[in-house]
């Protein structure tokens, strides 16, 4: 077995050799113009060939075709390639002597000086070696355009130099995207984290003499906590209002729907449901005039136009969504009506869960199964049961109500944990995600963060409370052109990125609301609704939900759901105690 000291020395030698090779590859960029001199002996060889001059010209043209095509496709060094090709064709027929040789030499000197002037100040990149494998933190591209060169120079001089805020970091070669330029900021592993880079957002914007809305820092899409993504936008990409009617989005087969655009003009999505987990909950927060209600209208419009979704609107304030009042499958206005509707659905959803627990079906292997863990809207095994999409507008009006508040919080916290199994998705709308606004329920807020959207808020802290990397209280009220930023928000959800986006808005919500809903509440659910209403009208409580059919086996999840339901029927405080017991079992 090799001696550890010898092995360590060998590793160090290997690293040194790799570093030298890497730096030599970099310096080849400065020697690139000399490669053109190969045209001199090549033209001479073509000239002395015992063939007709036209044939020699064709051979020269074929030889130069590839570099010319690559230059044209890359839109770089085109003039050099065209000049070299023309000279090679001329020299292969007239000979590389006299005036022809002089023209070639002058052309070479001109283009060589331009090349050296362009690349003479490029910084030498840093090489990090991890586990004996070299990772090139910055690669030099001899086809950099002036804008890319300027970005690299400013980053290295103003941010990564010694004593600067991002000292020791490097920037990969910026790539052109539709909205501007994008590159990765890479720190030395173990020295800085992604959050350290993100905290320097203001200094980064200052270095590029722009705003934090146009110099955007985000975590990288893959799991590397030593890197961050830098996007330099060429303008306010989200200042343009994009209309729902122009794009005509719909809820797809996978449960996702296009709801807006991220700052880099990539589409932003909301997950109404997923095949692996059923209906998904969400929360939308934002200050007055931030565009909160208009954003909710987009979600309601998508649900209204879907055959697999039925819409339930709960509006304790009564006037938040005038275009949709009475135009959804079910609608409750005012605190008392909202509480009654919530009680109805809390009972109905438990009936749906119990029904799904005994549904017979056949899996992809042809095996007969019994019971579904959750409902995927439109599942033929369940008779095409629809998903129920609940929107609670101005949620604090109900959750902080003197009479109904505690019970409403308990039911919604229970619903956030169990309604998903029965095909119920909840979206809460509030001005802030703090505990006071949500009736003091940590569980409720945590369960709603599958789709988390924060428009401009009044007080800081929403970033931490909603799992966002940026503070929505810092969002501007207007764009640079003076137009309002309504619908501008940070979204964290199915797209696996927490980034700045802007919602699609319906130009005339009433036009969508007045069209017949594409979906409906399925007959089985309608029967349970009527059963509940009849029981209330007769002055009695609806009968208790039956347990699983005889002979079927309960799972720990079923037992937990039953206990949570019982606690929810007691009071919100009991629910919180019960959830704590499940979170920390003795």
């Amino acid at each position: 077995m090799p001696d550890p000291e010898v092995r360590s020395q060998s590793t160090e030698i290997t690293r040194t050799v790799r570093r030298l090779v890497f730096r030599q590859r970099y310096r080849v960029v400065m020697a690139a113009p000399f490669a053109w001199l190969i045209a001199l002996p090549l033209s001479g060889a073509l000239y002395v060939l015992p063939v007709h001059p036209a044939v020699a010209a064709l051979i020269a043209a074929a030889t130069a075709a590839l570099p010319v095509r690559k230059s044209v496709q890359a839109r770089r060094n085109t003039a050099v390639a065209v000049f070299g090709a023309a000279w090679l064709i001329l020299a292969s027929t007239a000979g590389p002597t006299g005036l022809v040789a002089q023209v070639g030499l002058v052309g070479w000197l001109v283009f060589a000086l331009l090349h050296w002037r362009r690349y003479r100040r490029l910084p030498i990149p840093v090489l990090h070696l991890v586990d004996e494998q070299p990772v090139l933190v910055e690669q030099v591209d001899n086809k950099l355009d002036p804008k890319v060169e300027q970005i690299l120079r400013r980053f290295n001089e103003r941010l990564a130099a010694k004593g600067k805020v991002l000292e020791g970091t490097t920037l990969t070669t910026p790539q052109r995207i539709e909205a501007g330029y994008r590159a990765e900021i890479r720190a030395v592993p173990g020295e800085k984290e992604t959050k350290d880079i993100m905290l320097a957002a203001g200094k980064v914007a200052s270095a590029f003499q722009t705003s934090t809305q146009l110099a955007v820092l985000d975590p990288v899409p893959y799991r590397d906590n030593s890197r961050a993504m830098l996007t330099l936008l060429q303008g306010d990409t989200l200042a343009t209002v994009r209309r729902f009617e122009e794009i005509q989005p719909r809820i797809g087969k996978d449960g996702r729907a296009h709801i807006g655009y991220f700052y880099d003009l990539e589409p932003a999505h909301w997950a109404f449901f997923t095949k692996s987990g059923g209906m998904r909950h969400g929360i939308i927060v934002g200050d007055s005039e931030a565009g909160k209600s208009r954003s909710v209208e987009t979600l309601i419009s998508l649900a209204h136009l879907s055959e697999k979704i039925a819409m339930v609107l709960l509006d304790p304030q009564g006037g938040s969504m005038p275009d949709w009042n009475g135009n959804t499958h079910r609608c409750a206005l005012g605190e008392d009506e909202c509480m009654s509707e919530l009680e109805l659905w809390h009972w109905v959803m438990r009936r749906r869960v119990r029904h799904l627990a005994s549904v017979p079906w056949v899996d992809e292997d042809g095996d007969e199964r019994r019971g579904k863990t959750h409902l995927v809207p439109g599942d033929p095994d369940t008779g095409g049961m629809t998903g129920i999409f609940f929107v609670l507008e101005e949620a604090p009006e109900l959750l902080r109500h003197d009479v109904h508040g505690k019970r409403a919080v308990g039911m919604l916290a229970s619903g956030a944990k169990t309604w998903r199994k029965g095909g119920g998705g909840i979206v809460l709308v509030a001005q802030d995600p703090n505990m006071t606004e949500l009736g003091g329920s940590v569980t409720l807020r945590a369960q709603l963060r599958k789709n988390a959207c924060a428009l401009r808020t009044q007080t800081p802290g929403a970033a931490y409370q909603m799992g966002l990397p940026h503070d929505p209280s810092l969002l501007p009220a207007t764009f640079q052109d003076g137009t309002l930023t309504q619908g501008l928000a940070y979204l964290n959800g199915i797209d696996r990125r927490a980034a700045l986006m802007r919602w699609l808005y319906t130009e005339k919500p009433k036009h969508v609301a007045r069209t017949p809903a594409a979906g409906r509440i399925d007959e089985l659910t309608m029967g349970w609704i009527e059963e509940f209403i009849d029981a209330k009208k007769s002055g009695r409580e609806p009968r208790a939900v039956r347990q699983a059919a005889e002979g079927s086996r309960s799972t720990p999840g079923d037992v937990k759901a039953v206990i949570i339901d019982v606690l929810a029927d007691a009071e919100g405080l009991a629910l919180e105690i019960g959830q704590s017991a499940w979170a920390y079992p003795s």
Side-chain angles (χ1 to χ4, degrees):
M1 188 155 184
D3 184 84
E5 185 176 349
V6 174
R7 185 170 54 192
S8 176
Q9 292 176 353
S10 176
T11 301
E12 186 60 33
I13 292 172
T14 302
R15 290 181 176 177
T16 302
V17 171
R18 287 174 178 166
R19 187 177 294 107
L20 289 174
V21 170
F22 175 73
R23 291 183 181 274
Q24 288 301 324
R25 287 176 58 193
Y26 171 74
R27 291 185 174 88
V28 166
V29 173
M30 303 305 293
F34 291 97
W36 188 86
L37 295 178
I38 196 175
L40 187 64
L42 181 61
S43 61
L46 292 174
Y47 178 70
V48 299
L49 281 177
V51 295
H52 192 275
V55 176
L58 287 174
I59 297 174
T63 304
L66 182 61
V68 170
R69 188 183 70 176
K70 288 186 175 181
S71 297
V72 171
Q73 289 176 341
R75 297 182 181 180
R76 296 187 182 96
N77 300 325
T78 306
V80 179
V82 172
F83 173 81
W87 187 89
L88 181 62
I89 294 172
L90 177 63
S92 64
T93 56
T97 58
L99 182 61
V100 175
Q102 294 173 17
V103 170
L105 180 61
V106 171
W108 175 80
L109 286 174
V110 169
F111 288 116
L113 289 173
L114 291 175
H115 178 87
W116 291 328
R117 182 173 180 270
R118 182 177 184 179
Y119 292 107
R120 72 186 187 279
R121 291 184 179 177
L122 281 182
I124 295 178
V126 181
L127 176 67
H128 295 300
L129 294 170
V130 181
D131 297 332
E132 303 184 7
Q133 294 296 327
V135 178
L136 305 184
V137 175
E138 177 57 61
Q139 295 182 351
V140 175
D141 187 348
N142 61 351
K143 298 177 181 179
L144 294 179
D145 64 31
K147 181 63 176 178
V148 171
E149 181 182 352
Q150 182 189 57
I151 293 171
L152 287 169
R153 184 172 62 252
R154 287 189 175 184
F155 181 86
N156 283 283
E157 292 176 356
R158 302 176 181 180
L159 295 170
K162 186 174 180 61
K164 300 298 183 179
V165 66
L166 294 178
E167 177 184 348
T169 63
T170 54
L171 188 71
T172 61
T173 303
Q175 300 297 314
R176 189 76 171 85
I177 61 174
E178 183 180 355
Y181 290 87
R182 172 170 286 161
E184 279 186 18
I185 299 176
R186 298 180 176 180
V188 178
E191 291 186 5
K192 278 187 173 66
E193 302 179 39
T194 298
K195 68 177 183 180
D196 299 325
I197 301 175
M198 302 281 288
L199 289 173
K203 292 291 182 64
V204 172
S206 173
F208 290 101
Q209 296 176 280
T210 185
S211 67
T212 53
Q213 276 70 50
L214 299 183
V216 186
L217 289 175
D218 287 312
V220 293
Y222 50 89
R223 297 179 179 178
D224 190 331
N225 201 36
S226 66
R227 303 182 182 186
M229 193 73 72
L230 169 63
T231 305
L232 294 173
L233 303 176
Q234 294 183 317
D236 269 334
T237 56
L238 300 178
T240 302
V241 178
R242 295 171 175 84
R243 294 297 181 186
F244 185 93
E245 289 80 1
E246 296 171 359
I247 299 173
Q248 296 186 352
R250 296 292 186 271
I251 300 176
K253 294 181 179 179
D254 59 355
R256 299 197 312 165
H258 183 185
I259 62 166
Y261 287 92
F262 288 111
Y263 64 88
D264 55 3
L265 300 182
E266 289 294 319
H269 297 91
W270 186 279
F272 284 81
F273 62 87
T274 62
K275 293 184 177 180
S276 60
M279 295 292 288
R280 290 183 67 148
H281 308 311
I283 183 170
I284 298 177
V285 300
D287 198 7
S288 300
E289 299 184 355
K292 188 168 68 265
S293 295
R294 296 299 307 276
S295 303
V296 176
E297 285 176 340
T298 298
L299 293 182
I300 295 177
S301 297
L302 287 164
H304 189 77
L305 297 172
S306 173
E307 297 179 352
K308 297 181 179 180
I309 302 293
M311 177 68 214
V312 177
L313 175 61
L314 307 176
D315 187 357
Q317 205 170 57
S320 303
M321 312 289 291
D323 290 323
W324 288 99
N325 290 347
N327 289 323
T328 58
H329 293 87
R330 291 188 65 85
C331 179
L333 306 178
E335 294 94 337
D336 294 338
E337 282 191 25
C338 287
M339 191 64 225
S340 298
E341 189 72 12
L342 189 58
E343 289 175 344
L344 181 152
W345 283 105
H346 188 58
W347 185 84
V348 170
M349 276 297 157
R350 284 183 288 177
R351 293 298 299 266
R352 284 168 64 108
V353 170
R354 294 294 176 259
H355 170 73
L356 290 169
S358 60
V359 168
W361 58 289
V362 179
D363 64 17
E364 65 276 6
D365 298 322
D367 295 331
E368 294 184 1
R369 307 283 294 277
R370 188 174 184 85
K372 292 270 186 174
T373 58
H374 59 270
L375 173 70
V376 176
D379 184 355
D381 293 330
T382 64
M385 290 181 72
T386 49
I388 310 297
F389 184 61
F390 299 88
V391 171
L392 178 55
E393 257 284 6
E394 298 297 340
E397 295 293 322
L398 180 62
L399 301 180
R400 299 172 60 189
H401 192 266
D402 294 340
V403 178
H404 305 306
K406 186 178 290 187
R407 185 167 173 79
V409 170
M411 286 188 176
L412 283 170
S414 171
K417 295 177 74 70
T418 60
W419 287 11
R420 176 189 60 82
K421 298 179 180 180
I426 303 170
V427 172
L428 255 61
V429 186
Q431 290 199 358
D432 274 303
N434 59 59
M435 298 311 303
T436 304
E437 292 279 284
L438 301 181
S441 175
V442 179
T443 301
L444 179 58
R445 186 177 65 191
Q447 291 293 324
L448 300 178
R449 280 171 46 176
K450 293 292 185 181
N451 292 298
C453 175
L455 295 100
R456 187 179 66 256
T457 55
Q458 192 172 28
T459 55
Y464 168 75
Q465 294 163 349
M466 298 182 67
L468 299 170
H470 306 283
D471 187 354
S473 68
L474 300 178
L475 287 173
T478 60
F479 290 107
Q480 288 183 341
D481 60 4
T483 58
L484 295 177
T485 58
Q486 289 185 334
L488 191 67
Y490 289 111
L491 177 69
N492 187 11
I494 195 69
D495 292 310
R496 298 180 62 190
R497 58 184 301 194
L500 188 67
M501 56 84 66
R502 194 178 189 187
W503 284 79
L504 295 173
Y505 278 168
T506 52
E507 188 171 6
K508 298 286 186 180
K510 62 182 180 181
H511 290 170
V512 183
R514 291 172 182 174
T515 60
R520 61 183 181 84
I521 300 178
D522 56 272
E523 294 181 3
L524 198 57
T525 302
M526 284 300 300
W528 290 323
I529 292 174
E530 292 172 3
E531 181 181 343
F532 183 90
I533 294 174
D534 290 342
K536 287 293 185 179
K537 284 182 178 179
S538 63
R540 57 182 176 82
E541 288 298 316
R543 61 192 177 89
V545 179
R546 292 180 179 176
Q547 299 300 322
E550 186 177 351
S552 62
R553 302 178 64 183
S554 298
T555 67
D558 296 330
V559 176
K560 179 180 176 180
V562 172
I563 293 176
I564 289 175
D565 287 343
V566 172
L567 292 172
D569 285 339
E571 287 296 347
L573 178 60
L575 177 67
E576 294 294 328
I577 295 172
Q579 288 164 343
S580 299
W582 279 102
Y584 306 101
S586 57

